[in-house]
Amino acid sequence: MLIAIEGLDQSGKATQAQALRDRLRDDGKRARLVSFPDYGTAIGEEIARALQGEREHSPEVMQLLYIANRYECRDDLERWLSGDLTVVCDRYIASGIAYGEAQGLDADWLTQIQRFLPVADMTILLDIEPSLAAQRKSSGRDRYERDLALLGRARDSYLRQAEQPGWFRVDGERGKVEVAQEIAEFVGRQF
Ligand code: TMP
């Protein structure tokens, strides 16, 4: 089972992904948490430099870097999934589509070039307004986090994607305990 947690920056993805991994383990399942981008690889380092403004890449190149960064992990993901592990991903394929679309890229192209990655069985969208993202992090923001219009377009893409089967939209503006409970109940129903 591959479960992706998606949403805008500051929507609580890291907290909720960890809480879900812990909850699955408490329920006796083998679970592992993976985070994208994986900043620990050479491609991940390049992404970090670009986010801090040290490098200039076009939107296509940026999303291709993020996608390559996921393909770097494909063999591991496939091995873990075939080994009966539940993998919880803090951002996955849908982030590339949401942020890519927000930068004017074609959603079909973004989907096609990611089609050889393991498909998420469930994608949970922690939905928040871009203004809340800015409010929750008022300093030290990277170039995407500073751009509220871009975050608004990324949210529109997420909401459109969330109409597909396998998606679950959660109101991410509430407290973390409440959100974690709703996610745990939803995931529990799918096993
Ligand atoms: P992070 O804050 O979750 O580490 O992600 C850094 C930024 O990268 C965030 O603003 C979203 C963006 N992003 C993409 O544009 N495409 C992707 O595929 C991923 C995983 C992240």
Side-chain angles (χ1 to χ4, degrees), residues 99-151:
Y99 285 79
E101 254 199 297
Q103 294 168 308
L105 304 182
D106 181 68
D108 289 340
W109 177 68
L110 292 159
T111 305
Q112 280 300 315
I113 54 178
Q114 300 194 79
R115 73 183 183 281
F116 297 120
L117 291 168
V119 176
D121 298 287
M122 290 175 234
T123 304
I124 294 159
L125 172 61
L126 300 179
D127 186 37
I128 62 165
E129 293 269 358
S131 55
L132 182 65
Q135 209 178 305
R136 284 181 176 173
K137 186 172 180 183
S138 53
S139 64
R141 290 185 262 167
D142 67 34
R143 61 197 314 168
Y144 294 168
E145 289 167 338
R146 284 192 298 267
D147 188 339
L148 284 194
L150 179 129
L151 293 184

Side-chain angles (χ1 to χ4, degrees), residues 34-179:
V34 182
S35 200
F36 292 109
D38 173 359
Y39 294 108
T41 72
I43 294 173
E45 281 174 24
E46 184 61 24
I47 292 170
R49 285 194 201 100
L51 284 172
Q52 295 312 318
E54 290 168 27
R55 289 276 220 279
E56 277 307 324
H57 292 301
S58 66
E60 281 89 347
V61 170
M62 270 316 280
Q63 292 309 323
L64 286 168
L65 287 172
Y66 287 111
I67 291 168
N69 186 238
R70 284 191 278 285
Y71 274 103
E72 288 186 291
C73 195
R74 179 178 64 176
D75 291 351
D76 284 338
L77 287 173
E78 283 175 349
R79 198 176 60 252
W80 294 327
L81 292 166
S82 65
D84 203 27
L85 211 72
T86 298
V87 178
V88 179
C89 286
D90 171 0
R91 291 197 183 281
Y92 194 50
I93 293 174
S95 280
I97 299 172
Y99 285 79
E101 254 199 297
Q103 294 168 308
L105 304 182
D106 181 68
D108 289 340
W109 177 68
L110 292 159
T111 305
Q112 280 300 315
I113 54 178
Q114 300 194 79
R115 73 183 183 281
F116 297 120
L117 291 168
V119 176
D121 298 287
M122 290 175 234
T123 304
I124 294 159
L125 172 61
L126 300 179
D127 186 37
I128 62 165
E129 293 269 358
S131 55
L132 182 65
Q135 209 178 305
R136 284 181 176 173
K137 186 172 180 183
S138 53
S139 64
R141 290 185 262 167
D142 67 34
R143 61 197 314 168
Y144 294 168
E145 289 167 338
R146 284 192 298 267
D147 188 339
L148 284 194
L150 179 129
L151 293 184
R153 294 192 298 275
R155 184 188 187 209
D156 291 344
S157 170
Y158 271 135
L159 289 172
R160 188 185 50 73
Q161 294 184 65
E163 287 165 15
Q164 301 168 103
W167 278 71
F168 182 56
R169 179 191 163 276
V170 175
D171 176 0
E173 302 205 352
R174 293 162 310 151
K176 50 185 157 194
V177 175
E178 213 181 322
V179 172

